[in-house]
Amino acid sequence: MLMKRKIFNALAVAGLLAGFSYPAFSATAVPGDLGAPQGAPIQAVLTSPPNVPPPIDRKYPARVIVNLDIKEVKKEIADGVTYDFWTFGGTVPGSFIRVRQGDTVELHLTNPPDSHMPHNIDLHAVTGPGGGAPLTLTSPGHEGVFTFKALNSGLFVYHCAATPVGMHIANGMYGLIEVDPPEGLPKVDHEYYVMQGDFYTAGKYHDQGMQGFDMEKALDERPTYVLFNGREGALTGDNALKAKVGDSVRLFIGNGGPNLVSSFHVIGAIFDRVWDGSLKHYEENVQTTLIPAGSAKVVQFNTPVPGTFLLVDHSIFRTFNKGALGMLKVDGAPAPEVYAPGPVTAMAKAKTAPAAPAAAAAASGAAVQSSTAAPAHDTSTHAQAAGKPADLVATGKHVFEGICAACHQATGGGIPTVFPPLAKSDFLAADPKRAIHIVLNGLNGKVTVNGEHFDSSMPPLGPQLTDQEIAGALTYVLNSWGNPGGHVSPEEVAAARAPTSAH
Ligand SMILES: [Cu+2]
C-alpha cells in the first residue's frame, strides 16, 4: 500500500514537472464530467441504515464534503451473541452517502486513537487506482483525505481495503454511495437502505456470548451468519421496514460479501423495476435479482396489498437457518380484488359451519411457504372419520407437519424473532383454549413467548382446515415436546367458529 502510494505521488510530481497542470484539461472533455464545482462547499448528509439521505434536487455540480468516522464496536450480531465489528460510522453497513453526478467529493476518513487497526476506503464510485484506498490508509489517531469527481451515476459499494482485506470486509467495513443522475430519480414514497453480508464466527449459529472471527470458515466460504444490516433481526419485528397500501418503495440494496452472491427476493412482491449500473435503464418485472459480492442494485415495487412481506436471500437456507431475513410491513385496508383466500367451495362450507371472515386473511402477508398447506387436504377424509383423542393426535400430527411446521418447525422450536416456539410455550400453556381462536382467525401484533418478543403475523387457518383438523393439530401440540397435555375437541372448535350464532 505504502509502495503504491509512493509510486502514485511520484507520478503526480512527474506529471507536474512535465508541465501538465490539471486545469489545463478542458473540464467537459472527460465523459460524465459536468464542469467545475459551483457555490460554497456542501456538507453531505449521512444516514444510518435503513435510512437514506434525501434525494438531491440541486441543479449544478458542487464540492461535497463527506466526513466518515471509523468505529470499531462490540455489538450483538444475534440475540445473546456479540461480535467485534469494524465499521464506517458505527453501523453495519456504514453510513449511506449520497451525491450528484459531477460532484467533486472531498472525503475525510478519521480513525480514532482507540482503534486497533489501520483502515482505508475504496469506493466503487471512484475513477482512479484503488478507488481511493491508497490515498486514505489511516492509522489510529489519524485522518486520511482525498478528492474524487463522481463521473458515473449509479449505486456503488464502498469498503475497507486494508490488509487482510477479506477480514476487514467480513467484520462489517462496507456501505453504499448513491450518485444521483443530474435529473434525479423518479419520486417514490419510501427509500430504504439494506445490505447483505456474510459473517464467520468461531462458534456455531446462535452459540451465545462473545464470538471471534474464524479465518478458516472465511477461507472455506462457510459463513455462520448471512445477514441483512449486520444483525439478525435488524429488519424484523419492530425494526421492519414500513409502508402503506398504495405506496411505492425503493430499496437501495447492496451486498458487501465478502464471499457470497445474493439471490435477493421479496416474498409476495415483484420488482417493477431493477436498476443495475446506469440509472437510465432498468429491467421490469423481476422476481429475484442477483447481487454479486461488492455490488448493489436499486429495486422498486408498489405495495397494493397489506401484510408482511419477507426480504430474503432465495438461497433459502441462508434465510431460515443463517439469519438473512428482513420484513416490510404494509399497513392498510385489504385489497381482496388483488389477493384473497377462497372462493370457499360448497364442500368446505359443509365441513366448516359458518364461513370465517375470509377478507381478514387477505390482510395477512405471512403466507410464507403456503404451498405446504396442500397436504392437509389429503387428511380431510380421514379426519372426518376420526373422533377419539388417539385418532385426533394422529390426524393432528399430519396437519401439524403439513401446515404448522412450515413456520413453527417440525420440532415446535419456531424461528427466533419470527415464528414463536410451540414447544414448552408459556403463552400456549397459559391459555390453551385461546389457541383455538389463534388458529381460526390468525394472530397479529406483539406476543411474548418464553421471554422472547414477536411482532409478526400468523394467517387465519379457519377457512382452510376442518374442525377435526384444528382440534387434532392443537391436541397434538398440547401432547408433544414436553407441553402440559390436554385435549381440544372438534365441538370446541365448531363453537369457537361461531361465537355469536345462538340459534
Ligand atoms: Cu478496515
Side-chain angles (χ1 to χ4, degrees), residues 335-356:
E337 72 286 3
V338 181
Y339 185 75
V344 177
T345 62
M347 218 178 101
K349 269 188 191 134
K351 282 193 291 186
T352 59

Side-chain angles (χ1 to χ4, degrees), residues 334-395:
E337 72 286 3
V338 181
Y339 185 75
V344 177
T345 62
M347 218 178 101
K349 269 188 191 134
K351 282 193 291 186
T352 59
S364 170
V368 51
Q369 301 173 353
S370 63
S371 57
T372 51
H377 297 296
D378 308 342
T379 69
S380 53
T381 34
H382 168 69
Q384 287 303 298
K388 290 186 292 303
D391 296 331
L392 264 188
V393 170
T395 303

Side-chain angles (χ1 to χ4, degrees), residues 86 118-120 160-162 168 173:
W86 300 345
H119 300 283
N120 62 16
C160 182
H168 284 254
M173 294 201 82

Side-chain angles (χ1 to χ4, degrees), residues 192 233-242 308 326-329:
Y192 290 116
L235 296 175
T236 64
D238 284 345
N239 304 324
L241 305 178
K242 289 177 183 63
T308 301
M327 291 180 177
L328 170 71
K329 283 197 182 167

